[in-house]
């Protein structure tokens, strides 16, 4: 549990189980996942279990709800929000698209950057060489956020590290 966010009085009956795949409680895949093989069923659950652990270790928490961001996928109160995943045709590359709870989510930038860093900084914990991350275009700053995430992918490919840019852009 994140020590900086007090535990909210969430009831367990508001969440799906960690080992359940409930498509009606997940966001519809957006354009970043089109023409790619969606992870569904056991494959989605398995990667999402790894995600929970990595987000816990790296502190990828939704400050509004006071929980590990991976739990958003299980929150029945927000069935159109969370992460969806798809395999690229390139081997060992996964796409992850985050749909926030609102188009004006003030944390979308930090949450997607934190997710990118957790998945790619701890890549030895999963089977993918790269996890590409984007925010769904329903977010009002999706273009700006996704441009930064794309630059970070290129920087990671070139340098092999997650070091932030020396430019004036917001660090990832």
């Amino acid at each position: 549990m994140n020590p900086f966010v007090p535990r909210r009085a969430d009831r367990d009956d508001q969440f799906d189980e960690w080992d359940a795949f409930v498509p009606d409680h997940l966001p519809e895949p957006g354009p970043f996942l089109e023409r790619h093989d969606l992870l569904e069923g056991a494959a989605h659950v398995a990667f999402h279990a790894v995600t929970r652990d990595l987000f816990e270790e790296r502190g990828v928490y939704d400050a509004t709800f006071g929980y590990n961001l991976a739990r958003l996928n299980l929150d029945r109160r927000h069935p159109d929000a969370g992460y969806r995943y798809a395999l690229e045709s390139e081997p060992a590359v996964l796409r992850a698209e985050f749909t926030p709870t609102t188009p004006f989510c003030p944390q979308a930038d930090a949450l997607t950057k934190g997710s990118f860093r957790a998945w790619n900084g701890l890549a030895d914990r999963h089977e993918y060489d790269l996890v590409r991350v984007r925010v769904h275009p329903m977010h009002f700053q999706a273009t700006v956020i996704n441009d930064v995430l794309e630059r970070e992918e290129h920087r990671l490919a070139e340098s092999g590290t997650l070091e932030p840019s020396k430019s004036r852009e917001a660090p990832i």
Side-chain angles (χ1 to χ4, degrees):
M1 184 160 128
N2 185 340
F4 301 108
V5 179
R7 172 101 171 105
R8 292 177 50 133
D10 294 322
R11 297 187 338 251
D12 284 339
D13 66 346
Q14 295 172 325
F15 296 91
D16 295 321
E17 296 297 321
W18 282 103
D19 61 352
F21 179 74
V22 185
D24 290 343
H25 298 166
L26 294 172
E28 287 296 317
F32 185 62
L33 304 182
E34 286 178 2
R35 296 181 308 278
H36 297 283
D37 295 326
L38 280 179
L39 291 189
E40 297 187 307
H44 173 95
V45 169
F47 185 73
H48 205 66
V50 170
T51 295
R52 176 187 60 192
D53 294 343
L54 299 181
F55 285 8
E56 189 67 32
E57 185 169 328
R58 289 292 173 101
V60 184
Y61 267 70
D62 185 308
T64 300
F65 302 119
Y67 56 60
N68 180 318
L69 180 60
R71 195 166 191 212
L72 181 58
N73 274 42
L74 310 174
D75 194 330
R76 294 182 193 139
R77 298 167 296 181
H78 304 286
D80 298 325
Y83 267 108
R84 290 300 301 264
Y85 313 109
L87 294 172
E88 280 196 11
S89 57
E90 251 183 77
V93 176
L94 185 77
R95 287 178 171 231
E97 184 176 62
F98 176 64
T99 304
T101 57
T102 71
F104 300 102
C105 172
Q107 298 178 76
D109 183 54
L111 292 172
T112 54
K113 288 175 182 176
S115 299
F116 178 83
R117 293 183 70 78
W119 281 318
N120 292 295
L122 298 169
D124 61 323
R125 305 278 221 16
H126 55 74
E127 60 189 284
Y128 304 103
D129 294 335
L130 175 66
V131 179
R132 300 179 68 204
V133 180
R134 298 294 186 276
V135 67
H136 191 281
M138 60 79 86
H139 191 271
F140 84 108
Q141 291 184 316
T143 301
V144 172
I145 293 169
N146 290 338
D147 286 349
V148 171
L149 289 163
E150 188 173 357
R151 284 193 300 273
E152 288 305 315
E153 282 176 24
H154 292 297
R155 190 172 299 120
L156 176 61
E158 290 171 3
S159 70
T161 68
L162 291 168
E163 293 302 316
S165 159
K166 304 290 186 224
S167 73
R168 305 186 108 206
E169 75 185 40
I172 188 160

